[in-house]
Amino acid sequence: MSALDFLVELGTEELPPKALKTLGESFLSGIEKGLKAAGLSYRGARYYAAPRRLAVLVEQLATEQPDRTVNLDGPPVQAAFDAEGNPTQAALGFAKKCGVELSAIDQSGPKLKFSQHIPGQRAYTLLPGIVENSLNELPIPKRMRWGARKTEFVRPSQWLVMLFGDQIVDCEILAQKANRFSRGHRFHANHEVRISAPAMYAQELRAAYVIADVAERREQIAKRIEQLATEQQGSAIVPPALLDEVSALVEWPVPLVCSFEERFLEVPQEALITTMQDNQKYFCLLDANGKLLPRFITVANVESKDPSQIISGNEKVVRPRLTDAEFFFKQDKKQPLEAFNQRLANVVFQAQLGTVYDKAQRVSALAGFIAGRIGGDAKRGARAGLLSKCDLASEMVGEFPEMQGIAGYYYALNDGEPEDVALALNEQYMPRGAGAELPSTLTGAAVALADKLDTLVGIFGIGMLPTGSKDPYALRRAALGVLRILIEKGLELDLGATVEFAVRQYGSKVKAAGLAPQVLEFIFDRLRARYEDEGVDVSVYQAVRAVNPLSPLDFDQRVQAVQAFRKLPEAEALAAANKRVSNLLSKADGQVASSIEAHYFDTPAEFTLNAAIQKADNAVQPLAQSRQYREALAQLASLRTPVDAFFEAVLVNAEDPKVRANRYALLARLRGLFLGVADISVLG
């Protein structure tokens, strides 16, 4: 079967840059889907995307579909005809479904059958429909109309190229009649560009100052930015999303170095970087110490004979932006940071939970409580908590919301606050996402924990629990943040006492009954997913959860120990024995005695197990107290042999009630040793 290259290019007004890559990928996906549905084979396909065009090139596309035969089974013959041989509705309906008269249906077998040979259609006739369907299915949230036409697309269409081999595919899509003429760069080559063949598309557009491949433009921009940054003795900040967006804004990228006045460097560099990246799409430069240089890189869409004009224009445009940031910074510094709390007393945090200032006061008290328990300074924790929300009322954060926390850090330093207090104002929001940076100071950790726990307690306390699809207060993220800070920073904190303290802070604003256990259950439930992601078996998590440690760090240390224990050869037998012991103890009449009376032993296995338990207890107690859980379980593994011998030789439910009660006490002592770490019975 013969094959030819196929090209489709839709020319438009400038497409939305943030959506360009997605539009290109979806256009390709839709065309490939249509080709496969039509049974048209091809060697390969790729997309091109630039500000004014979307294109797909299909290599070696079959010129026609293969012939195919359709075989359809109908109703049984006895159901298709009545006793007189007249066709029933079942037979007539089958014939109608096949699009033929009943006489054309095969009636020779037990069922009616219809076979039809369908010759393959030419690809040339199928391609317009495939392209149109793909364009209609593009992920465009809001389509627009233009002129008096009823056609709709993301932007007005301007031209359409459709070539199959060297032949123009005769069709009209989005009010554009297909031909072989594309258009060059809007300024360098603002004229028609004849596409001689699909395979020549990228090359012939390049001659007209258009790099059609978005990935090639991206790579070219990134490489040139790196070169220019090195020439300026710096390194460029190149966020992937910004690089994608800039690559979608230009057809012929020309990066250029610009500068701004050094006086602006007195403004927090995060604000300058934010405004230059978000508003102007510039790439900022840092020196070897990570400090902002008074230079930036812009990416022009023209190769100017006088680049200084473009540079000057960009420097002129950025100056008012930087001046605004400078003005806000100076205005905010006219009053101490703490004074902004007065404004927050009129800003609602949540209608039932009070103002943002109320939250700051609660966070202050809770941060002081936490700081004193994780080895930090309680007074500094409380101070940082009180200042934690102040910058939300500042001019800087009002203009640049991304500066929350960061602005507070600079204003706190300006007021002479201790370094860790200032850092805590930004670190309270950490971690900002999965795997993101954690607080570097104990004061910052205390405020971050306090902020998250206060939100969890408050929102749970008014009954606004997250559902499967809705979590408007990001409570799951808050819980995971609490766990990450405590576990990964190795901080010891009793969450039970801490959550109870947080509940008391709210007073009558929340329903306190049962609130603390509910919040704790929600937090520790997040650990299950965390461990599953790490490859820890769910039974290991359940074994630790059963003994309910209230310190996440302690919980994690136990999990790691049980995970290691599972790999020991004795683990399976001991887990089964613990399960058996648990079942026996659950059926015991009355309370199991706490003491063991050796004179009731009447088998060697009992004496042996009791001695082994006493020996293990002496070894394990100090290990468990010092959180050496892995070593403790390794010691307990030595009990396998005496435990197995006990169950083989001893009938626990002896007839003599005193002997039976003594054996239950022995097993309870055995189980208690393991419960000092985890309930390993769930491993069995």
Side-chain angles (χ1 to χ4, degrees):
M1 186 178 291
S2 61
L4 298 169
D5 291 342
F6 169 65
L7 171 71
V8 55
E9 180 200 52
L10 177 67
T12 67
E13 293 298 329
E14 274 72 4
L15 293 162
K18 290 184 179 178
L20 185 68
K21 187 179 178 185
T22 301
L23 290 173
E25 290 170 346
S26 300
F27 191 24
L28 170 62
S29 175
I31 286 178
E32 288 192 294
K33 176 184 169 185
L35 295 176
K36 287 170 185 172
L40 291 168
S41 62
Y42 57 96
R43 188 170 68 193
R46 59 167 302 173
Y47 77 91
Y48 294 92
R52 297 195 298 150
R53 65 200 77 226
L54 292 173
V56 170
L57 172 64
V58 182
E59 296 176 353
Q60 294 299 289
L61 175 64
T63 56
E64 61 181 56
Q65 295 173 309
D67 294 349
R68 57 196 175 101
T69 301
V70 176
N71 295 309
L72 297 175
D73 284 341
V77 171
Q78 59 265 36
F81 299 95
D82 60 20
E84 287 76 36
N86 297 316
T88 63
Q89 284 301 316
L92 295 172
F94 180 62
K96 184 177 180 182
K97 174 185 173 183
C98 298
V100 294
E101 295 295 325
L102 186 59
S103 58
I105 301 293
D106 180 3
Q107 304 170 19
S108 60
K111 287 183 177 181
L112 299 188
K113 286 189 175 182
F114 178 70
S115 297
Q116 184 180 24
H117 177 75
I118 303 175
Q121 291 181 266
R122 292 167 59 216
Y124 180 93
T125 62
L126 298 170
L127 288 170
I130 290 171
V131 170
E132 192 160 19
N133 285 339
S134 179
L135 289 170
N136 289 337
E137 292 175 4
L138 289 184
I140 303 169
K142 194 170 184 180
R143 295 172 181 259
M144 61 186 295
R145 293 182 185 179
W146 57 97
R149 298 170 177 143
K150 293 184 178 180
T151 51
E152 294 182 344
F153 196 56
V154 61
R155 292 291 185 269
S157 63
Q158 295 295 332
W159 71 85
L160 178 66
V161 175
M162 277 183 70
L163 297 177
F164 192 35
D166 62 357
Q167 185 180 9
I168 297 171
V169 179
D170 186 18
C171 65
E172 184 175 306
I173 298 174
L174 290 177
Q176 299 297 330
K177 187 166 177 59
N179 57 42
R180 64 184 328 120
F181 292 102
S182 180
R183 292 200 68 85
H185 190 282
R186 192 183 286 278
F187 304 110
H188 285 304
N190 193 17
H191 53 70
E192 290 184 338
V193 177
R194 185 180 187 277
I195 307 300
S196 58
M200 298 297 292
Y201 172 72
Q203 184 178 331
E204 287 169 343
L205 277 183
R206 189 186 304 276
Y209 286 84
V210 175
I211 299 174
D213 184 354
V214 66
E216 183 183 345
R217 293 196 307 276
R218 191 183 195 277
E219 184 179 352
Q220 186 174 313
I221 292 169
K223 189 174 180 180
R224 183 59 179 150
I225 285 174
E226 186 178 358
Q227 291 172 348
L228 291 173
T230 302
E231 290 172 11
Q232 298 297 318
Q233 286 82 49
S235 60
I237 305 174
V238 187
L242 178 60
L243 183 57
D244 285 342
E245 188 175 357
V246 172
S247 302
L249 283 166
V250 294
E251 292 184 323
W252 193 258
V254 181
L256 299 167
V257 177
C258 309
S259 62
F260 58 85
E261 292 96 321
E262 289 198 23
R263 67 182 174 88
F264 290 122
L265 295 178
E266 295 177 12
V267 179
Q269 67 179 44
E270 293 86 351
L272 305 181
I273 291 169
T274 295
T275 191
M276 286 193 282
Q277 286 181 349
D278 294 355
N279 298 315
Q280 304 304 132
K281 315 305 174 189
Y282 295 153
F283 297 94
C284 302
L285 300 181
L286 303 177
D287 65 16
N289 298 316
K291 298 298 182 184
L292 187 66
L293 290 170
R295 287 177 284 287
F296 59 90
I297 295 173
T298 185
V299 181
N301 191 30
V302 292
E303 202 169 273
S304 175
K305 293 177 182 177
D306 185 8
S308 63
Q309 295 289 334
I310 297 175
I311 292 170
S312 174
N314 280 277
E315 291 174 349
K316 186 176 180 181
V317 166
V318 79
R319 193 172 296 114
R321 295 279 185 187
L322 303 185
T323 301
D324 285 348
E326 180 185 45
F327 173 76
F328 296 136
F329 185 54
K330 288 181 176 179
Q331 283 293 107
D332 289 338
K333 288 197 298 180
K334 288 180 179 179
Q335 57 185 315
L337 181 61
E338 188 175 356
F340 287 105
N341 268 330
Q342 296 171 11
R343 298 186 191 178
L344 295 177
N346 299 313
V347 178
V348 174
F349 163 60
Q350 202 284 334
Q352 295 171 254
L353 302 178
T355 66
V356 177
Y357 179 52
D358 293 334
K359 180 174 178 64
Q361 289 180 304
R362 290 193 303 270
V363 168
S364 175
L366 187 54
F369 177 89
I370 293 170
R373 284 159 177 76
I374 61 173
D377 185 305
K379 288 184 178 179
R380 289 190 178 185
R383 178 63 177 166
L386 187 64
L387 299 176
S388 62
K389 306 303 173 187
C390 288
D391 69 353
L392 297 179
S394 68
E395 299 288 343
M396 179 69 82
V397 174
E399 179 68 17
F400 306 112
E402 304 86 350
M403 288 292 291
Q404 67 176 21
I406 299 169
Y409 164 75
Y410 285 102
Y411 297 150
L413 286 183
N414 184 67
D415 290 348
E417 298 286 351
E419 176 78 11
D420 61 333
V421 170
L423 281 169
L425 306 190
N426 184 37
E427 293 180 341
Q428 66 175 308
Y429 299 107
M430 296 179 179
R432 287 182 164 89
E437 182 184 3
L438 296 175
S440 63
T441 65
L442 288 174
T443 303
V447 179
L449 291 167
D451 182 55
K452 293 168 177 57
L453 290 172
D454 177 78
T455 299
L456 283 161
V457 167
I459 302 303
F460 266 81
I462 57 174
M464 295 181 66
L465 281 62
T467 63
S469 59
K470 292 183 179 179
D471 186 8
Y473 289 93
L475 300 184
R476 292 186 183 90
R477 190 172 70 185
L480 285 169
V482 167
L483 294 168
R484 277 198 62 206
I485 292 169
L486 292 173
I487 292 172
E488 294 178 31
K489 290 187 70 66
L491 301 177
E492 180 58 43
L493 182 68
D494 182 340
L495 271 190
T498 307
V499 170
E500 290 282 5
F501 184 93
V503 172
R504 292 195 296 273
Q505 291 295 301
Y506 274 101
S508 61
K509 290 180 180 177
V510 297
K511 295 179 181 178
L515 177 55
Q518 186 183 26
V519 172
L520 288 168
E521 183 179 4
F522 179 78
I523 293 173
F524 282 104
D525 276 349
R526 303 308 107 202
L527 275 175
R528 178 170 181 158
R530 174 190 168 101
Y531 289 128
E532 284 178 355
D533 290 343
E534 293 176 0
V536 175
D537 192 273
V538 67
S539 65
V540 174
Y541 163 81
Q542 290 169 335
V544 177
R545 187 74 187 271
V547 299
N548 197 33
L550 292 174
S551 159
L553 179 62
D554 185 27
F555 195 114
D556 185 66
Q557 290 167 339
R558 292 172 189 257
V559 164
Q560 304 309 325
V562 177
Q563 180 75 348
F565 173 75
R566 284 182 78 238
K567 298 173 184 176
L568 298 178
E570 300 90 350
E572 188 175 348
L574 282 170
N578 266 269
K579 193 169 188 177
R580 185 174 179 182
V581 170
S582 178
N583 290 335
L584 284 167
L585 293 174
S586 67
K587 297 172 184 174
D589 295 329
Q591 190 171 352
V592 176
S594 58
S595 61
I596 299 168
E597 303 292 340
H599 59 271
Y600 285 121
F601 292 155
D602 59 6
T603 64
E606 288 174 276
F607 283 101
T608 302
L609 179 59
N610 185 45
I613 288 174
Q614 288 179 342
K615 182 180 178 182
D617 194 12
N618 291 333
V620 166
Q621 286 290 350
L623 291 173
Q625 286 173 2
S626 60
R627 301 273 185 90
Q628 298 179 65
Y629 297 124
R630 189 173 301 206
E631 293 80 358
L633 286 175
Q635 286 282 346
L636 292 175
S638 65
L639 292 172
R640 177 187 174 177
T641 300
V643 167
D644 287 349
F646 174 87
F647 279 117
E648 194 170 321
V650 176
L651 176 66
V652 177
N653 289 316
E655 289 186 13
D656 186 330
K658 291 182 178 178
V659 172
R660 183 169 65 245
N662 197 53
R663 289 173 179 171
Y664 272 103
L666 181 64
L667 293 179
R669 182 87 173 273
L670 169 68
R671 181 148 169 76
L673 282 178
F674 284 93
L675 289 176
V677 179
D679 183 0
I680 69 164
S681 68
V682 303
L683 300 178

